[in-house]
Amino acid sequence: PWLHYNKRIIKLYTTPKIDYLDFKTKKVKGTIFLDENSHSKTIDEYNFELFTKHRIYYFRLYEKSSNFWVNTINQTIKTFANSKMK
């Protein structure tokens, strides 16, 4: 399959959601809403996937490792899901 990557900045919130911003203008280009069924998975050192109920997102990184983002996203989702159970 053909994949197109746009250079973006991502911001992860504890709500949990991810905003992705245009790299140059810093304007929000979109939001990915996460729930307890969402999860991310490492592909390799610089790539990971994010699975939501609506689609799969592919990320290519220029800084940090994919394991950092996968662990951080999955932990944020887990913390949010656990807080809903209380």
Side-chain angles (χ1 to χ4, degrees):
W2 185 81
L3 299 174
H4 175 75
Y5 289 93
N6 289 313
K7 196 168 186 180
R8 301 284 189 236
I9 297 169
I10 61 173
K11 293 174 84 174
L12 175 64
Y13 298 88
T14 58
T15 48
K17 72 174 184 173
I18 294 174
D19 282 344
Y20 50 96
L21 296 76
D22 182 270
F23 185 76
K24 292 180 182 177
T25 66
K26 309 295 190 267
K27 291 185 180 182
V28 174
K29 299 299 282 184
T31 301
I32 304 169
F33 294 98
L34 306 171
D35 63 24
E36 58 274 358
N37 297 311
S38 302
H39 70 282
S40 57
K41 181 177 121 182
T42 300
I43 297 172
D44 60 32
E45 186 177 354
Y46 297 106
N47 297 281
F48 72 93
E49 299 170 307
L50 175 61
F51 299 86
T52 69
K53 64 180 164 183
H54 297 293
R55 70 180 269 202
I56 301 170
Y57 296 87
Y58 297 93
F59 291 90
R60 180 180 296 158
L61 303 169
Y62 297 96
E63 296 179 8
K64 303 252 185 204
S65 75
S66 58
N67 285 333
F68 169 83
W69 279 105
V70 166
N71 293 335
T72 303
I73 291 168
N74 288 339
Q75 185 58 48
T76 300
I77 292 167
K78 183 178 178 182
T79 300
F80 177 76
N82 289 341
S83 71
K84 283 178 57 176
M85 296 177 152
K86 293 180 179 182

